[in-house]
Amino acid sequence: MNKELNRKLMTFCGKPLEAASDEEIYTALLNLVQELGQKNVKPVTGRKLYYISAEFLIGKLLSNNLINLGIYDDVREILKEAGKNLSDIEELEPEPSLGNGGLGRLAACFLDSLATLDLPGDGIGLRYHCGLFRQSFQNDVQSEAPDFWLTDNSPAEKTDIVYPVQLAGKEYSARLYKLKVTGYNGRTNSLNLFDLDTVDESLIADGISFDKTDIEKNLTLFLYPDDSDEAGRLLRIYQQYLMVSAGAQLILSECEARGCDFHNLADYAAIQINDTHPSMVIPELIRLLGEKGIDFEEAVQIVTDTCAYTNHTILAEALEKWPRHFLDQVVPQLMPVIEKLDALARTRTDDESCAIIDNWQVVHMANMDIHFTHSTNGVAALHTQILKDSELANFYRLYPEKFNNKTNGITFRRWLLECNPALAGEIETLIGPGFKQNADELEKLLDFTEDEQVLKQLTDIKKANKKALADWLYHKQGVTINPDAMFAIQSKRLHEYKRQQLNLLFLIHQYLEIKAGHTPAVPLVSIFGAKAAPAYTIAKDIIHALIALSKVVAADPQAAPWLQIVFVENYNVTAAEKMIPACDLSEQISLASKEASGTGNMKFMLNGALTLGTMDGANVEIAERVGNDHIYIFGQSSKQVIDRYAKGDYCSHDWYESDPNIRRAIDFLCGPEMLKAGHEENLSRLRNELLHKDWFQTLPDFNAYLVRKGQAMADYAHSPQEWSRKALVNIAKAGFFSSDRTIAEYNRDIWHLGK
Ligand SMILES: *Cc1c(COP(=O)(O)O)cnc(C)c1O
């Protein structure tokens, strides 16, 4: 046992560990992590990165910090000897859900990799009092409640640093909170989060509704307030400007303290703009440099050299654009700068689609980013190609040298070492510990693809993880699932482009086949985790339909032994860490061309699941690495999809008319069994949507999906050993998807940190 650690923990507790409560030990552990992390804070020389993002979906921090500090096992042992259980203590920590999904989780993985690679790089964001809403199902429909995560011993430390920020002509004080980010055997960086002292949680009324106009009290209450009305959209601009103005002031003051004279800002700072939410940092920096006496032309050059932009989506509705009068109202001080930037951009091209302020007085944030940063990157090879070929083709012609790809990644510390210690331990036994810092070493696992004992071991680990998930689900939701069944998991935000509705149609089909006496090759447990945006009606209808179907199947003694459907409540990072290690088949079935990258796909692969997916986002690069024998690919290609949109001739009703399987599944949605289990309003709205719109082309991929999924189930049933061999190949080839690799590429091509 580690005596030194034991003594420290006791000192922090103020009593023997045996006599301390779990809460007291939790606080002591936070103090310990804080003290040890502080030792790894290092002075900055040369260029430092500021990763600005409206979201950091960091998840719980305690275990991750213990792992990164290299003391997880010691602490667990010490607690065990005192009769305490570390996982009980982990339960006490509230999850900071300061992000919606992939984009926010990526930012969190990047902070971990920056600190691990010993690179100077801090995050800048907002200290939301409530993260993404807490989801529950009331009467089989999604219901939203606020998710408070701030407690008295919150890990984000209050500082005395305050910056003035002008919002709608009034001055507010943005206070800085610092959250330490400790890398694995690396340095400690900071996540800088801004907040107003005046924000008032008692403003929250029913559910997640609140007075959206009382800026002083509501500014950082919620991550992404509902933007289905004008007050909500204005609030987003208020939030964004608070973040970038305070962030820009922090950057300038830190650089100045290190000797920067602002003319050479780009030698001291690199700023990465994570999607368009922080885009106003460009005009804000130009404005602030102007106050310091730097003229407009030079300020534009300095900011262009300092900033880089990441594009995360090609869904047109997600590329932010604001009516000019919104900005006139909230940030009048920026408008003269934005106007000058628009005029400057118009001297470079007369292509109207590249304008910052268009003819309808709408301000296009992404356009401003591309003109006035030195780098625009996509997040997977296919995504970047689509940006160059179609979505941003006009910009690519103008600035070919600015475009580059950085395929996303995930941190292996959280998504393997922390969430799947049994698998991590087995890997270490086989190939040594080097893979924890050099993920490419996982390829050494390929030496064991014919080793029956190793394959059996992998199967056993998966089985144990499935049992653990079953226990967790039983305690959480009271459902019992069969761990001997195949587990297929689709967990990600609920969105039509991700096509949970395709999975729904498959499950209806499977149920009806079982009823017709055609039992599948293996029993299937189909598990979902997904939150729908509060104002996204069809997404909520899909959740409802899946829950209604799960009731129909569970109540049917003929079908229940072969098929179970479970919707996990409140999908978040904590839930993901339980679900992903237990997965056999990873559902990555977005409409080709729509998922920029995906990172869930990488987490599942790393944990030994096989992917059932379309040729979309990073699935393409997964397929390239593992080879077609180790992945189940189906469906239209991105080219076919893009052509179909261009022609505009897709008619879902034709598919319904001509394909009896499709017709049977869609009609079942509003048949007597479903209407008995669910609500007619939701079910018929969803059926109509599929029948008359189906904007994300579910029906053309339906049969290919049936066939491929059936193939995967047959393979799983036929030979567990062969399945395990394929899983091993997936793990061995996952090294490329480490966010350490992604960050090294950003640094090599864009940031050049520490130099
Ligand atoms: C990884 C992750 C996501 C992103 O999943 P995708 O399948 O890439 O959309 C979303 N939410 C949570 C909690 C995650 O951990």
Side-chain angles (χ1 to χ4, degrees):
M1 170 165 61
N2 187 325
K3 287 220 172 63
E4 165 80 9
L5 268 183
N6 194 8
R7 196 182 48 72
K8 272 214 156 86
L9 266 179
M10 242 178 65
T11 317
F12 281 128
C13 272
K15 57 176 89 163
L17 296 181
E18 287 80 355
S21 68
D22 281 358
E23 281 80 7
E24 287 168 325
I25 294 179
Y26 171 58
T27 309
L29 285 171
L30 288 183
N31 288 328
L32 176 74
V33 163
Q34 191 75 17
E35 184 188 293
L36 295 177
Q38 190 62 38
K39 288 191 186 145
N40 298 341
V41 174
K42 295 186 188 168
V44 177
T45 51
R47 230 175 176 208
K48 170 176 171 178
L49 171 72
Y50 297 90
Y51 194 85
I52 305 199
S53 175
E55 304 188 25
F56 288 91
L57 184 46
I58 48 186
K60 293 191 185 192
L61 298 169
L62 178 59
S63 312
N64 198 247
N65 281 328
L66 293 174
I67 287 172
N68 283 3
L69 288 165
I71 56 172
Y72 186 88
D73 291 335
D74 284 344
V75 166
R76 197 184 45 204
E77 277 312 301
I78 290 169
L79 294 180
K80 200 164 153 196
E81 287 195 17
K84 306 287 173 185
N85 187 345
L86 181 52
S87 42
D88 292 343
I89 291 163
E90 288 166 354
E91 292 289 315
L92 296 175
E93 183 180 1
E95 172 178 327
S97 291
L98 311 185
N100 274 287
L103 173 149
R105 186 52 234 171
L106 184 77
C109 285
F110 279 6
L111 293 184
D112 182 273
S113 284
L114 280 159
T116 297
L117 295 179
D118 200 10
L119 293 168
D122 285 359
I124 293 178
L126 290 173
R127 179 181 179 264
Y128 304 103
H129 291 234
C130 298
L132 186 59
F133 65 86
R134 185 183 297 274
Q135 176 196 54
S136 65
F137 302 127
Q138 310 286 336
N139 194 16
D140 302 331
V141 175
Q142 170 175 296
S143 160
E144 301 98 20
D147 185 21
F148 296 102
W149 67 283
L150 293 169
T151 57
D152 290 342
N153 51 18
S154 162
E157 262 185 286
K158 188 172 181 175
T159 73
D160 297 330
I161 301 172
V162 169
Y163 297 109
V165 175
Q166 293 277 331
L167 294 163
K170 201 168 159 233
E171 187 169 303
Y172 295 81
S173 299
R175 182 180 297 281
L176 173 64
Y177 289 77
K178 271 191 177 289
L179 204 155
K180 296 257 164 358
V181 180
T182 296
Y184 183 79
N185 285 339
R187 66 194 283 143
T188 293
N189 290 325
S190 291
L191 173 52
N192 300 296
L193 299 174
F194 288 101
D195 197 1
L196 300 183
D197 292 350
T198 51
V199 166
D200 181 0
E201 291 168 11
S202 71
L203 204 65
I204 302 171
D206 196 24
I208 53 169
S209 64
F210 63 99
D211 176 358
K212 287 182 188 154
T213 59
D214 193 346
I215 300 307
E216 190 161 328
K217 290 187 178 171
N218 74 16
L219 199 56
T220 51
L221 264 186
F222 282 100
L223 164 81
Y224 276 178
D226 167 23
D227 65 348
S228 53
D229 59 16
E230 177 163 328
R233 284 197 288 279
L234 280 171
L235 180 48
R236 278 208 192 183
I237 302 177
Y238 281 110
Q239 288 190 332
Q240 293 179 357
Y241 186 67
L242 181 83
M243 171 173 79
V244 302
S245 178
Q249 293 176 71
L250 172 71
I251 293 168
L252 291 180
S253 75
E254 283 194 355
C255 291
E256 187 175 27
R258 289 200 288 125
C260 169
D261 69 4
F262 304 122
H263 295 277
N264 55 359
L265 182 67
D267 296 335
Y268 286 80
I271 298 174
Q272 191 69 33
I273 299 174
N274 194 30
D275 214 355
T276 54
H277 320 121
S279 301
M280 282 186 287
V281 75
I282 292 171
E284 177 65 1
L285 272 171
I286 293 171
R287 190 185 71 82
L288 291 170
L289 289 173
E291 286 182 354
K292 308 217 177 269
I294 296 179
D295 66 36
F296 179 76
E297 281 70 30
E298 190 192 350
V300 169
Q301 192 56 52
I302 293 170
V303 169
T304 304
D305 293 343
T306 305
C307 295
Y309 158 65
T310 302
N311 175 288
H312 282 272
T313 180
I314 49 176
L315 293 178
E317 66 265 30
L319 282 175
E320 282 184 308
K321 43 187 196 289
W322 300 113
R324 180 198 164 125
H325 68 93
F326 280 18
L327 297 179
D328 282 332
Q329 184 183 332
V330 179
V331 287
Q333 66 274 35
L334 282 192
M335 280 320 294
V337 181
I338 294 176
E339 275 173 354
K340 282 169 97 172
L341 290 175
D342 180 56
L344 181 54
R346 285 171 185 278
T347 65
R348 299 182 188 173
T349 169
D350 50 17
D351 184 339
E352 211 27 65
S353 72
C354 298
I356 295 174
I357 305 175
D358 71 17
N359 291 328
W360 294 269
Q361 297 296 307
V362 172
V363 182
H364 295 256
M365 307 313 262
N367 294 6
M368 184 165 68
D369 291 321
I370 303 170
H371 283 298
F372 298 110
T373 65
H374 65 280
S375 162
T376 291
N377 75 282
V379 290
L382 175 66
H383 169 59
T384 302
Q385 200 56 48
I386 293 174
L387 291 181
K388 291 184 189 175
D389 291 347
S390 43
E391 298 302 311
L392 300 177
N394 295 341
F395 278 105
Y396 181 55
R397 270 191 291 277
L398 196 56
Y399 305 117
E401 73 288 352
K402 290 191 185 187
F403 281 73
N404 63 100
N405 175 247
K406 298 288 168 282
T407 298
N408 282 169
I410 55 173
T411 167
F412 284 25
R413 271 71 63 183
R414 183 176 291 268
W415 297 111
L416 178 59
L417 305 189
E418 182 186 329
C419 75
N420 200 343
L423 179 59
E426 172 71 7
I427 293 173
E428 187 164 349
T429 309
L430 296 175
I431 62 171
F435 71 97
K436 299 177 188 178
Q437 262 171 313
N438 178 8
D440 289 335
E441 288 193 17
L442 285 176
E443 290 230 12
K444 292 185 192 165
L445 289 171
L446 292 176
D447 294 346
F448 300 94
T449 50
E450 305 306 326
D451 186 325
E452 284 181 25
Q453 230 173 337
V454 168
L455 298 179
K456 172 77 171 55
Q457 191 66 25
L458 271 190
T459 309
D460 291 348
I461 290 169
K462 185 63 79 180
K463 187 70 180 283
N465 290 338
K466 289 164 74 173
K467 285 208 172 98
L469 177 62
D471 285 347
W472 182 76
L473 271 172
Y474 179 73
H475 285 113
K476 198 173 131 87
Q477 287 176 224
V479 296
T480 307
I481 55 173
N482 170 16
D484 295 323
M486 179 181 199
F487 283 13
I489 305 187
Q490 186 171 14
S491 58
K492 47 184 74 251
R493 283 306 290 265
L494 204 311
H495 200 293
E496 286 163 281
Y497 88 78
K498 291 178 182 280
R499 297 201 298 186
Q500 281 92 351
Q501 70 275 26
L502 176 58
N503 203 338
L504 168 70
L505 292 179
F506 164 84
L507 292 167
I508 292 173
H509 178 86
Q510 184 73 281
Y511 171 70
L512 293 171
E513 287 297 296
I514 296 168
K515 295 299 287 174
H518 308 139
T519 51
V522 61
L524 179 71
V525 178
S526 181
I527 304 174
F528 293 83
K531 292 178 183 174
Y536 190 173
T537 306
I538 290 294
K540 288 178 149 182
D541 291 340
I542 294 171
I543 293 180
H544 174 70
L546 281 162
I547 294 175
L549 180 64
S550 77
K551 294 201 309 190
V552 170
V553 177
D556 186 321
Q558 189 188 352
W562 293 101
L563 185 60
Q564 281 188 293
I565 300 163
V566 184
F567 212 114
V568 177
E569 236 169 20
N570 198 40
Y571 183 62
N572 58 9
V573 175
T574 309
E577 289 173 22
K578 306 269 192 245
M579 292 162 72
I580 290 169
C583 180
D584 296 308
L585 192 65
S586 157
E587 305 256 11
Q588 307 299 336
I589 60 177
S590 56
L591 175 63
S593 82
K594 294 296 178 189
E595 184 75 87
S597 164
T599 48
N601 46 5
M602 303 167 187
K603 299 169 199 166
F604 282 105
M605 170 197 199
L606 177 62
N607 283 275
L610 302 201
T611 303
L612 170 60
T614 48
M615 280 301 246
D616 200 15
N619 294 354
V620 175
E621 287 160 84
I622 293 176
E624 222 170 77
R625 284 183 168 74
V626 300
N628 277 333
D629 294 342
H630 302 93
I631 187 168
Y632 296 90
I633 294 291
F634 73 95
Q636 303 180 90
S637 69
S638 56
K639 184 173 179 320
Q640 285 171 308
V641 171
I642 290 168
D643 288 349
R644 216 193 269 279
Y645 276 118
K647 277 211 215 123
D649 65 350
Y650 173 59
C651 174
S652 60
H653 201 270
D654 293 349
W655 291 79
Y656 170 85
E657 287 295 340
S658 63
D659 185 320
N661 279 337
I662 291 178
R663 196 160 59 239
R664 185 175 68 155
I666 288 189
D667 285 344
F668 185 84
L669 265 180
C670 287
E673 294 96 330
M674 287 293 278
L675 290 182
K676 190 158 163 254
H679 312 314
E680 173 159 19
E681 184 189 341
N682 304 81
L683 295 169
S684 61
R685 188 164 44 212
L686 177 57
R687 179 171 178 276
N688 276 332
E689 184 77 26
L690 286 169
L691 207 47
H692 300 298
K693 292 203 191 106
D694 190 27
W695 182 246
F696 294 99
Q697 304 177 15
T698 313
L699 306 187
D701 281 345
F702 178 74
N703 274 304
Y705 181 54
L706 283 191
V707 170
R708 254 355 226 154
K709 198 156 168 174
Q711 179 76 53
M713 289 167 70
D715 289 351
Y716 183 87
H718 178 249
S719 169
Q721 182 173 315
E722 180 57 14
W723 187 270
S724 185
R725 195 186 64 75
K726 290 180 180 174
L728 184 62
V729 170
N730 271 268
I731 300 167
K733 293 290 188 178
F736 178 76
F737 300 104
S738 164
S739 48
D740 297 346
R741 185 269 313 154
T742 314
I743 287 297
E745 287 182 4
Y746 273 94
N747 191 37
R748 181 194 66 200
D749 300 340
I750 305 173
W751 301 332
H752 316 294
L753 302 177
K755 300 214 175 82

